[in-house]
C-alpha cells in the first residue's frame, strides 16, 4: 500500500468511526421509547459524493447459505456505499460458491472481470481484518448472538438476520454488548422498510394514529411445519468439506445427517436445521420474529413485552423424530395495555389489528423465500385490507405520529453507519420481538399460563419457566464466559 492509499484508507476509517452529530442527535432523540413524531429520511448516500473517503463500507459476510445469497448479499451489494470484500463459512464448498457469487455480482456491476473476494473458514479471522468495517451475519440461528457479540467487540457494524438469539438471556447479553460497543446494528426485520413491502409501515402508522380506534386484539398468522414430515434419521459420515463440530456451536454435539444441517448437492433449498429445536424454535421465531415485530410496532410496545402468555393448543412431532419443532398451534400474549395478541397457523399469514372502530390486516402477499417454505398460498394472498376501505385512504396529518421511514433495509443500515443515526430496527427492538416469540415457545412447552415481567425479563415466581430463559452451552462456544447467567435471569 503506497502513502496516498494509506492516507485515503485512514481518512475513510476515521469517517466511518465518527458520526454526523447534528443529524444523528436529532434522530437518536426521536428514537427513544415513547417518541411520537420522528425520523426524517436518513441522509442519502449521494450527499457523500463519489470521491468521499466514506464512499465504500468494507463488508464481510459470515455464513453464505440460502438467506445470504437470496437476500442479504444482493440486497447490500446493489448500493454504491457497500463493498462486500470477504465471505466466511464452515462449509468449504459454500466458501467457494460464496466467493464465486460475490465475484459474479461485482463482475456484472463493474462491467469487468472481478476476482477480489477474500475467503475465510473462521469468522474470528475475518473480524481481525482491520480493513473490514462491517459484517452481514447470516448463520443458522444458534450462531447469531455469539457471532454478533464477537463482531461488536471487534468494533464491526452489524446487519444480522433474525431472530436475535436462541434464548432470551442470550438476547439480553447481545443487546447490552451492542449498545456498549457503540456500533451500528440492524436486525433483519425488513418488513419495517418501504421496499419491498410498504404496506407494513402504512398499516402501523394508521393503527398508531387511531384509525381503527383503541386496539383490543391482534391476530398474528404464521406458517408452521407439518409434524407428519418428521421421522428418525440414521447417522451419516460427516462430509470432509464441513466443519460439523464447530457448526454445532454451543448446542450438544449430535449425530450428523444431511437433513440436520443443509443440502450437500450444491442447492440452497430450505435447510434442515430450521426444523430442529436444538438450533432454533421453529416457525414461532422463523416468521414470528417478523410478525410479532409488526404487532409491537403497531402497538408502540417495541421496548417492552407481554405480561401473560399461554398456549391453548400445540402439536409436536414424535419424540424420536429428527425434525422436532412445533407443528400447528395457538397461543395468547396479553400486554400491560390490555391488548391480546393471538398467534396461530390457522390465521391468514400476516398481522390483523382489531380496534373499537374497525380492523386492518397486513401481510406480504403471495411471497415465499423458496418453494420448500411451509407457507400456504391460500393464507398468504392478502397484503393490505381494512374493515372499511376508506381507512386505507386516510392521510396522516403533520401533527400526528409519523413512523420512521426507511426506503430499503440494507441501505438504511449503510446510511446509518455513515450518519451515526439509529437504524429502523436496532438490536433492542430485535431482542424484544424475539423475546415474544421465545415466550410463546416456552408456553408451548409448559402448557400453562405464565406471568412475565418485561422490565426484569423474568417470570414471576416460576423457577421452571425461568430455567428455560437460557440453555446449557457447549465449550468453547459459550455466549459469554464473563457473564454469570444467573445474574441475567
Amino acid at each position: 500500500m503506497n502513502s496516498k492509499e494509506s492516507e485515503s484508507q485512514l481518512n475513510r476509517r476515521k469517517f466511518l468511526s465518527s458520526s454526523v452529530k447534528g443529524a444523528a442527535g436529532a434522530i437518536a432523540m426521536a428514537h427513544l421509547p415513547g417518541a411520537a413524531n420522528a425520523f426524517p429520511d436518513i441522509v442519502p448516500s449521494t450527499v457523500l459524493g463519489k470521491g468521499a473517503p466514506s464512499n465504500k463500507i468494507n463488508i464481510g459476510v459470515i455464513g453464505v447459505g440460502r438467506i445470504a445469497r437470496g437476500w442479504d448479499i444482493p440486497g447490500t451489494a446493489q448500493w454504491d456505499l457497500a463493498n462486500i470484500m470477504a465471505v466466511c463459512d464452515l462449509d468449504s464448498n459454500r466458501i467457494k460458491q460464496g466467493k464465486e457469487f460475490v465475484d459474479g455480482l461485482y463482475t456484472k456491476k463493474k462491467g469487468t472481470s472481478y476476482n477480489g473476494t477474500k475467503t475465510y473458514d473462521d469468522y474470528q479471522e475475518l473480524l481481525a481484518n482491520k480493513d473490514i468495517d462491517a459484517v452481514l451475519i447470516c448463520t443458522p440461528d444458534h450462531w447469531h448472538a455469539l457471532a454478533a457479540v464477537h463482531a461488536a467487540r471487534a468494533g464491526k457494524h452489524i446487519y444480522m438476520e433474525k431472530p436475535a438469539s436462541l434464548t432470551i438471556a442470550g438476547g439480553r447479553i447481545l443487546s447490552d454488548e451492542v449498545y456498549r460497543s457503540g456500533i451500528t446494528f440492524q436486525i433483519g426485520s425488513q418488513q419495517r422498510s418501504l421496499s419491498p413491502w410498504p404496506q407494513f409501515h402504512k398499516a402501523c402508522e394508521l393503527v398508531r394514529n387511531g384509525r381503527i380506534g383503541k386496539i383490543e386484539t391482534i391476530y398474528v398468522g404464521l406458517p408452521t411445519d407439518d409434524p407428519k414430515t418428521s421421522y428418525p434419521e440414521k447417522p451419516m459420515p460427516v462430509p470432509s468439506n464441513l466443519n460439523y463440530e464447530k457448526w454445532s456451536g454451543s448446542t450438544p454435539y449430535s449425530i450428523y445427517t444431511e437433513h440436520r444441517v443443509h443440502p450437500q448437492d450444491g442447492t440452497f433449498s430450505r435447510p434442515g436445521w430450521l426444523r430442529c429445536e436444538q438450533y432454533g424454535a421453529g416457525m414461532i421465531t422463523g416468521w414470528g420474529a417478523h410478525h410479532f415485530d409488526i404487532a409491537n410496532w403497531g402497538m408502540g410496545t417495541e421496548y417492552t413485552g407481554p405480561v401473560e402468555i399461554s398456549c391453548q393448543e400445540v402439536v409436536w412431532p414424535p419424540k424420536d423424530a429428527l425434525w422436532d419443532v412445533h407443528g400447528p398451534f395457538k397461543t395468547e400474549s396479553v400486554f400491560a395495555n390490555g391488548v391480546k395478541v393471538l398467534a396461530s397457523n390457522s390465521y391468514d399469514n400476516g398481522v390483523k389489528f382489531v380496534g373499537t372502530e374497525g380492523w386492518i390486516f397486513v401481510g406480504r402477499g403471495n411471497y415465499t423465500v423458496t418453494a420448500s417454505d411451509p407457507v400456504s398460498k391460500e393464507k398468504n394472498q392478502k397484503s393490505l385490507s381494512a374493515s372499511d376501505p376508506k381507512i386505507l385512504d386516510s392521510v396522516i396529518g403533520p401533527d400526528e405520529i409519523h413512523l420512521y421511514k426507511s426506503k430499503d433495509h440494507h441501505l438504511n443500515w449503510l446510511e446509518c453507519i455513515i450518519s451515526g443515526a439509529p437504524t429502523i430496527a436496532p438490536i433492542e427492538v430485535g431482542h424484544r420481538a424475539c423475546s415474544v416469540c421465545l415466550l410463546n415457545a416456552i408456553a408451548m412447552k409448559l402448557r400453562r399460563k405464565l406471568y412475565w415481567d418485561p422490565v426484569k425479563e423474568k417470570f414471576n415466581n416460576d423457577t421452571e419457566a425461568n430455567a428455560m430463559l437460557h440453555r446449557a452451552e457447549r465449550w468453547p462456544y459459550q455466549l459469554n464466559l464473563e457473564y454469570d447467567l444467573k445474574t441475567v435471569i
Side-chain angles (χ1 to χ4, degrees):
M1 181 180 290
N2 60 40
S3 59
K4 288 185 178 180
E5 290 173 332
S6 298
E7 183 178 358
S8 175
Q9 179 74 348
L10 180 61
N11 289 339
R12 183 185 65 80
R13 292 189 60 79
K14 283 182 177 179
F15 192 95
L16 287 171
S17 65
S18 64
S19 63
V20 180
K21 298 297 184 181
I27 297 175
M29 287 297 292
H31 193 60
L32 292 174
N37 302 314
F39 300 107
D41 292 338
I42 301 299
V43 178
S45 58
T46 52
V47 173
L48 300 171
K50 291 283 187 180
S54 59
N55 193 45
K56 298 291 184 182
I57 299 167
N58 289 334
I59 299 168
V61 184
I62 302 174
V64 282
R66 179 182 71 147
I67 197 67
R69 295 171 63 95
W71 181 260
D72 291 319
I73 292 176
T76 303
Q78 67 177 311
W79 303 107
D80 288 340
L81 274 174
N83 174 42
I84 297 180
M85 62 173 287
V87 296
C88 176
D89 204 280
L90 295 174
D91 185 326
S92 61
N93 288 343
R94 290 197 162 188
I95 294 173
K96 180 176 180 291
Q97 292 167 328
K99 173 180 169 55
E100 291 172 350
F101 185 70
V102 175
D103 283 347
L105 287 178
Y106 282 121
T107 293
K108 184 176 181 180
K109 188 173 184 178
K110 296 172 184 291
T112 183
S113 180
Y114 181 81
N115 188 36
T117 306
K118 297 179 182 295
T119 59
Y120 296 88
D121 60 8
D122 182 343
Y123 75 75
Q124 293 281 26
E125 293 180 5
L126 182 151
L127 295 177
N129 185 337
K130 294 183 178 180
D131 289 335
I132 293 176
D133 308 301
V135 292
L136 298 173
I137 297 178
C138 311
T139 65
D141 295 0
H142 65 288
W143 266 105
H144 283 182
L146 183 58
V149 164
H150 289 157
R153 289 179 176 175
K156 311 299 185 186
H157 304 291
I158 301 168
Y159 183 108
M160 187 181 80
E161 272 303 325
K162 54 78 207 161
S165 59
L166 195 60
T167 66
I168 292 176
R172 169 48 50 214
I173 290 173
L174 172 58
S175 185
D176 289 349
E177 285 286 348
V178 167
Y179 281 108
R180 186 179 294 113
S181 71
I183 57 97
T184 297
F185 184 101
Q186 180 90 294
I187 194 77
S189 296
Q190 65 267 27
Q191 290 180 168
R192 284 176 170 252
S193 293
L194 298 179
S195 175
W197 303 296
Q199 62 267 30
F200 289 98
H201 180 278
K202 182 174 184 178
C204 289
E205 208 166 64
L206 290 169
V207 170
R208 289 280 284 269
N209 283 288
R211 295 305 191 268
I212 59 171
K214 186 178 183 297
I215 308 174
E216 295 183 326
T217 308
I218 300 175
Y219 295 89
V220 174
L222 304 173
T224 191
D225 287 288
D226 184 356
K228 295 178 182 178
T229 64
S230 301
Y231 43 83
E233 286 261 355
K234 293 182 179 180
M236 296 173 62
V238 178
S240 60
N241 52 283
L242 175 66
N243 185 345
Y244 179 61
E245 190 283 326
K246 190 165 187 177
W247 183 92
S248 300
S250 64
T251 73
Y253 188 88
S254 301
I255 63 163
Y256 171 81
T257 172
E258 187 173 334
H259 285 152
R260 181 188 296 278
V261 187
H262 57 247
Q264 285 292 321
D265 59 2
T267 64
F268 293 88
S269 58
R270 190 167 184 248
W273 61 261
L274 282 167
R275 285 165 274 189
C276 297
E277 277 203 319
Q278 187 169 341
Y279 315 114
M283 296 306 284
I284 192 66
T285 53
W287 272 74
H290 288 300
H291 289 345
F292 279 110
D293 177 55
I294 293 302
N296 281 345
W297 207 19
M299 276 194 292
T301 55
E302 303 159 83
Y303 292 91
T304 183
V307 293
E308 296 180 10
I309 312 96
S310 58
C311 174
Q312 285 71 51
E313 58 187 67
V314 62
V315 178
W316 294 98
K319 289 186 177 180
D320 59 349
L322 171 68
W323 292 340
D324 56 356
V325 295
H326 70 87
F329 73 100
K330 182 174 288 185
T331 59
E332 178 182 281
S333 304
V334 182
F335 284 72
N337 57 13
V339 177
K340 292 183 178 180
V341 180
L342 306 178
S344 176
N345 61 287
S346 64
Y347 307 142
D348 287 343
N349 188 7
V351 183
K352 184 177 183 179
F353 298 93
V354 180
T356 54
E357 299 176 25
W359 57 263
I360 292 175
F361 173 87
V362 62
R364 292 190 186 182
N366 192 9
Y367 171 86
T368 57
V369 179
T370 63
S372 57
D373 277 5
V375 179
S376 167
K377 290 187 176 180
E378 291 181 5
K379 296 178 180 178
N380 202 43
Q381 294 291 335
K382 293 183 287 185
S383 59
L384 186 63
S385 56
S387 53
D388 183 345
K390 293 180 181 178
I391 293 174
L392 303 180
D393 296 328
S394 178
V395 177
I396 307 300
D399 296 327
E400 293 189 282
I401 296 172
H402 290 259
L403 297 178
Y404 189 146
K405 277 189 177 181
S406 159
K407 296 175 183 177
D408 175 272
H409 214 58
H410 295 100
L411 178 61
N412 174 253
W413 174 58
L414 296 169
E415 291 181 337
C416 287
I417 290 174
I418 300 300
S419 71
T423 62
I424 194 169
I427 179 54
E428 185 65 18
V429 166
H431 166 58
R432 293 293 180 164
C434 181
S435 293
V436 181
C437 302
L438 293 173
L439 289 170
N440 276 257
I442 293 172
M444 288 183 195
K445 290 288 188 181
L446 298 180
R447 297 300 303 273
R448 54 182 167 79
K449 184 171 286 189
L450 304 171
Y451 299 92
W452 178 249
D453 185 330
V455 176
K456 295 179 180 178
E457 296 190 77
K458 64 184 299 184
F459 294 100
N460 296 326
N461 303 315
D462 196 325
T463 302
E464 183 182 20
N466 280 325
M468 300 175 76
L469 297 178
H470 65 97
R471 299 189 188 188
E473 296 179 317
R474 191 168 66 98
W475 187 88
Y477 307 107
Q478 289 97 331
L479 180 59
N480 196 320
L481 295 173
E482 299 165 15
Y483 279 85
D484 178 0
L485 285 180
K486 293 179 181 179
T487 66
V488 176
I489 63 172

